[in-house]
Amino acid sequence: MLLTGDYHTHTVYSHGKGTVLENARRAAEIGLKEIAITDHGFGQMAFGLRHKRVPRLVADCKQAAAETGVNVYVGVEANLCNDEGLTDFNPPDYKDFDVFLAGIHRFVRFKPFWRGMWNMLWVNWWYTFLKREGSDRLVRYNTKALVNCIKNNPVDAITHLNYLSFCDVAEVAKAARDYGTYIELNSKKVHLSDEQLAAVRDTGVRFIIDSDAHSVDRVGDTKLVDELLARVDVPRDRIDNIDGRTPSFRFRAYKEAHL
Ligand SMILES: [Zn+2]
Ligand SMILES: [Zn+2]
């Protein structure tokens, strides 16, 4: 599927392989109008974005846009830090950024640290390893974290919902619908079963499709999502980055109103 924009791509600013310019060139080559550079948030312990590198990231995005003619947005894929919905991307960081994605990840400076390590890393990993559904307690914890994240932050999209983070996907989608946050259909990871996608769709929430590219050749890639959408009927007009449309992102509106 041809995207208007790919709003979830990684570069060498975290653990992607390509540079900002290389991702933008690839976007131009395959006909995308827009791309967001969304490296992992500041709390990712091994390879997260570093505050001191933000000015360089901003300059790189500006230069890549000028060179390729593609809109290149400065973005972040923030990490959830606890079940109150705290993330590692906060108001003092907002001024330099255009796109705010958030998702549950491992090896993050959770708050409090050991409680987060236990729930978000270890218990999620354990049930994934066992190939079992998460326990009710775990599903409640993750669902609360994601719903609070949507309520308390101007998040544009929740990335790879349910990947290594068992949750009540319909409950999260209802919060996303009510607050104007997109549910991302991620083309790098299998994260929703067909039944779960149908349940998310039935809430009326809106979607974007992203590659989650960690290498230049995957920018704009939608193969996995194409296969999912061949099995589960989601109306095209509920997906806001195809057919020439661009999403109306909540973070941009928040910045216009508050900064
Ligand atoms: Zn992610
Ligand atoms: Zn990602």
Side-chain angles (χ1 to χ4, degrees), residues 7-10 38-40 76-80 99-105 146 149-150 155-165 167 172 181-187 189 191-192 208 210-212:
Y7 300 100
H8 185 171
T9 73
H10 294 275
T38 52
D39 280 302
H40 293 280
V76 62
E77 183 181 14
N79 301 293
L80 268 75
V99 173
F100 180 2
L101 311 180
I104 291 181
H105 296 91
L146 287 160
C149 174
I150 291 165
V155 177
D156 290 325
I158 295 296
T159 59
H160 45 69
L161 180 66
N162 210 47
Y163 174 74
L164 281 180
S165 54
C167 63
V172 178
T181 294
Y182 286 96
I183 294 297
E184 175 194 72
L185 299 176
N186 185 297
S187 202
K189 316 171 200 297
H191 58 108
L192 293 172
I208 53 172
D210 288 326
S211 71
D212 197 0

Side-chain angles (χ1 to χ4, degrees), residues 202-254:
D202 291 346
T203 65
V205 75
R206 304 193 70 78
F207 298 95
I208 53 172
I209 301 172
D210 288 326
S211 71
D212 197 0
H214 286 65
S215 58
V216 177
D217 60 304
R218 281 209 61 252
V219 169
D221 170 50
T222 63
K223 187 167 174 284
L224 207 58
V225 175
D226 293 345
E227 289 165 7
L228 180 65
L229 294 176
R231 299 191 303 270
V232 183
D233 182 33
V234 175
R236 288 184 78 99
D237 64 7
R238 290 268 299 283
I239 305 170
D240 276 357
N241 63 333
I242 60 171
D243 300 334
R245 289 189 302 280
T246 51
S248 54
F249 276 142
R250 184 182 166 196
F251 183 57
R252 188 179 303 153
Y254 175 91

Side-chain angles (χ1 to χ4, degrees), residues 64-228:
E67 197 165 309
T68 60
V70 170
N71 292 332
V72 182
Y73 294 122
V74 185
V76 62
E77 183 181 14
N79 301 293
L80 268 75
C81 296
N82 62 31
D83 61 346
E84 312 281 295
L86 178 73
T87 81
D88 57 359
F89 180 70
N90 292 298
D93 309 312
Y94 286 2
K95 66 177 181 357
D96 294 315
F97 286 79
D98 310 306
V99 173
F100 180 2
L101 311 180
I104 291 181
H105 296 91
R106 303 185 284 171
F107 308 111
V108 170
R109 284 186 204 90
F110 300 112
K111 289 187 179 153
F113 183 70
W114 290 111
R115 186 157 184 256
M117 285 294 272
W118 174 257
N119 285 296
M120 285 195 184
L121 189 159
W122 172 248
V123 189
N124 276 318
W125 179 84
W126 179 244
Y127 281 101
T128 305
F129 175 75
L130 294 177
K131 294 190 166 54
R132 280 173 45 192
E133 290 299 305
S135 66
D136 290 350
R137 191 186 154 277
L138 180 66
V139 168
R140 272 200 308 277
Y141 177 90
N142 289 327
T143 305
K144 185 179 169 206
L146 287 160
V147 167
N148 282 336
C149 174
I150 291 165
K151 285 185 178 169
N152 298 340
N153 303 274
V155 177
D156 290 325
I158 295 296
T159 59
H160 45 69
L161 180 66
N162 210 47
Y163 174 74
L164 281 180
S165 54
F166 300 94
C167 63
D168 183 331
V169 294
E171 279 310 303
V172 178
K174 280 182 206 162
R177 174 199 65 199
D178 293 346
Y179 283 82
T181 294
Y182 286 96
I183 294 297
E184 175 194 72
L185 299 176
N186 185 297
S187 202
K188 179 166 188 277
K189 316 171 200 297
V190 175
H191 58 108
L192 293 172
S193 68
D194 294 1
E195 295 72 29
Q196 285 170 330
L197 175 57
V200 169
R201 172 200 64 200
D202 291 346
T203 65
V205 75
R206 304 193 70 78
F207 298 95
I208 53 172
I209 301 172
D210 288 326
S211 71
D212 197 0
H214 286 65
S215 58
V216 177
D217 60 304
R218 281 209 61 252
V219 169
D221 170 50
T222 63
K223 187 167 174 284
L224 207 58
V225 175
D226 293 345
E227 289 165 7
L228 180 65

